[in-house]
Amino acid sequence: MSSNKGSSYSEPRTASTRRGPERFWDTTVAHDLAFLLARANALSLARMHAEIEPHGLKARSYSILSLAAAGMLPSQRELSEFLRLDPSQIVTLIDDLEQRGLVIRESDPRDRRANVVVATEEGHKLAEESRIAVMNSEAEWFSALPEEDQISLRRILGVLAAAR
Amino acid sequence: MSSNKGSSYSEPRTASTRRGPERFWDTTVAHDLAFLLARANALSLARMHAEIEPHGLKARSYSILSLAAAGMLPSQRELSEFLRLDPSQIVTLIDDLEQRGLVIRESDPRDRRANVVVATEEGHKLAEESRIAVMNSEAEWFSALPEEDQISLRRILGVLAAAR
DNA sequence: TATTGTTATACTCTATAACTATA
DNA sequence: TATAGTTATAGAGTATAACAATA
């Protein structure tokens, strides 16, 4: 299996006979925090989308609907900051939710420039349904981890996510 | 500060006087793993890009260049799987790196359909420079965490990232 | 003068399918 | 027949600037 005929170069051209991307896990990139975060997030997003797309939501619309349904009365500006999205993207997302009768925009009486996002009855129902779906799919994914690690991860990510 | 005049509704309309997105951290969405991962990843990406964009790289081109410079002789297909990108996106990324003289495509003698990506001398230099930049910016971000947590995080994310 | 939401626009990223050359 | 890479293209996501209403 190992045809090692004269490796006089600093980096062997024919290299090992092993193939497939698994071998990349030994490298420094693969231990990089940014890389690990990106990959874990990609996997998490894919799972979440598979779970809530049947409900007509994606990660972002789900977040907005959830905050509205939690009675937080978020303004669009607040959503923009919290979700790290441009204000114009928030407009589009809420347009969609509003057209589907899940939320409404109410003018904030304290500042008539601002809109406050409120969930309708339908919005509340969908928020609850999809919340359960998301939590189930998360629980499934995390079952690979010992409970102690699950708790640590949530706590540590909380610190990083809240930090600038 | 608290003008609580008759809250006969299940959800107060005028709510608390507190404003700003900080108050959303109490909600269930904010404790959601998917949300925390997404946000931590967004922050990590922003930092990383600020650091390596001056070098003409982004997260993805950095990963590819690093694997090439590590002498892994990755095929485009392997890169596609490892980075969870479509093969056609890999083409574009390598086209760019190759035009800038950082890598070359070599036909794999074992399978002439496949290309193997090899770093040039310039590629090695840039990979090393940017590796240091990335590690420094990461260290800075993580200094907010006790060392024990840094180690736990890397380990736990490694498990999640490697899992399906 | 500054801020909230909106519109328009250009740019990047992503997903898909069809094609070629090799296996 | 299946796979590696490529090309083309349409769709989604992102970033920017300008504008009206309000503070």
Side-chain angles (χ1 to χ4, degrees):
Chain A
M1 285 293 178
S2 63
S3 63
N4 200 353
K5 50 164 185 173
S7 59
S8 53
Y9 299 95
S10 58
E11 282 165 13
R13 274 290 136 92
T14 321
S16 76
T17 49
R18 271 200 302 158
R19 281 197 266 171
E22 306 77 26
R23 60 205 173 89
F24 301 155
W25 285 105
D26 289 335
T27 62
T28 55
V29 226
H31 291 87
D32 200 66
L33 235 308
F35 174 81
L36 293 173
L37 271 175
R39 207 180 147 99
N41 181 51
L43 291 167
S44 150
L45 251 188
R47 279 176 172 272
M48 185 176 184
H49 278 164
E51 203 63 51
I52 64 176
E53 238 162 16
H55 299 275
L57 295 175
K58 299 196 173 180
R60 283 152 187 198
S61 40
Y62 169 74
S63 299
I64 293 178
L65 178 59
S66 297
L67 287 170
M72 299 305 288
L73 300 176
S75 75
Q76 300 189 191
R77 178 65 49 169
E78 288 172 323
L79 290 170
S80 164
E81 285 182 45
F82 192 62
L83 302 179
R84 301 180 61 84
L85 295 175
D86 192 84
S88 61
Q89 297 180 251
I90 301 289
V91 171
T92 310
L93 288 164
I94 298 182
D95 279 353
D96 176 59
L97 291 174
E98 195 169 38
Q99 277 158 28
R100 290 162 59 196
L102 299 169
V103 304
I104 56 172
R105 284 183 241 237
E106 284 189 6
S107 179
D108 186 337
R110 291 170 303 184
D111 182 346
R112 277 159 46 225
R113 291 173 302 181
N115 292 331
V116 134
V117 184
V118 182
T120 64
E121 194 176 334
E122 281 223 23
H124 276 100
K125 267 197 294 186
L126 184 59
E128 180 59 11
E129 275 174 37
S130 44
R131 203 198 100 246
I132 292 171
V134 166
M135 292 203 145
N136 284 343
S137 91
E138 257 183 26
E140 189 192 331
W141 192 30
F142 284 124
S143 64
L145 291 175
E147 191 166 1
E148 198 191 333
D149 285 352
Q150 298 183 25
I151 295 168
S152 301
L153 180 61
R154 207 179 295 269
R155 177 180 56 78
I156 300 172
L157 281 181
V159 175
L160 287 181
R164 271 280 93 226
Chain B
M1 286 293 175
S2 63
S3 62
N4 199 354
K5 48 162 185 174
S7 59
S8 52
Y9 300 95
S10 58
E11 282 165 14
R13 273 289 136 92
T14 321
S16 76
T17 49
R18 271 200 300 158
R19 280 196 267 171
E22 306 78 27
R23 62 205 171 89
F24 301 154
W25 285 106
D26 290 334
T27 62
T28 55
V29 226
H31 290 87
D32 200 66
L33 235 307
F35 173 81
L36 293 172
L37 271 175
R39 207 180 147 98
N41 181 52
L43 291 168
S44 152
L45 250 187
R47 280 177 171 273
M48 186 176 184
H49 278 163
E51 203 64 50
I52 64 177
E53 239 162 15
H55 298 276
L57 295 175
K58 299 196 174 180
R60 284 154 185 193
S61 39
Y62 169 75
S63 299
I64 292 177
L65 178 58
S66 297
L67 287 170
M72 299 304 289
L73 301 177
S75 74
Q76 300 189 192
R77 178 64 50 168
E78 287 171 324
L79 290 170
S80 164
E81 285 182 45
F82 192 62
L83 302 179
R84 300 180 61 85
L85 295 175
D86 191 85
S88 62
Q89 297 179 254
I90 302 289
V91 171
T92 310
L93 288 165
I94 298 183
D95 279 352
D96 177 58
L97 292 174
E98 194 169 39
Q99 277 158 27
R100 291 162 60 197
L102 300 169
V103 303
I104 56 172
R105 284 183 241 236
E106 285 189 4
S107 179
D108 187 337
R110 289 170 303 184
D111 181 346
R112 277 159 46 225
R113 291 173 303 180
N115 291 331
V116 134
V117 183
V118 182
T120 64
E121 195 176 333
E122 282 223 24
H124 276 100
K125 267 198 295 188
L126 185 58
E128 180 59 12
E129 275 174 37
S130 44
R131 202 197 99 246
I132 292 170
V134 167
M135 291 202 147
N136 284 343
S137 91
E138 255 183 29
E140 190 190 330
W141 192 30
F142 285 124
S143 64
L145 291 175
E147 191 166 0
E148 198 190 334
D149 285 352
Q150 297 183 26
I151 295 168
S152 301
L153 180 61
R154 208 179 295 268
R155 176 180 55 78
I156 300 173
L157 281 181
V159 175
L160 286 181
R164 273 270 97 229

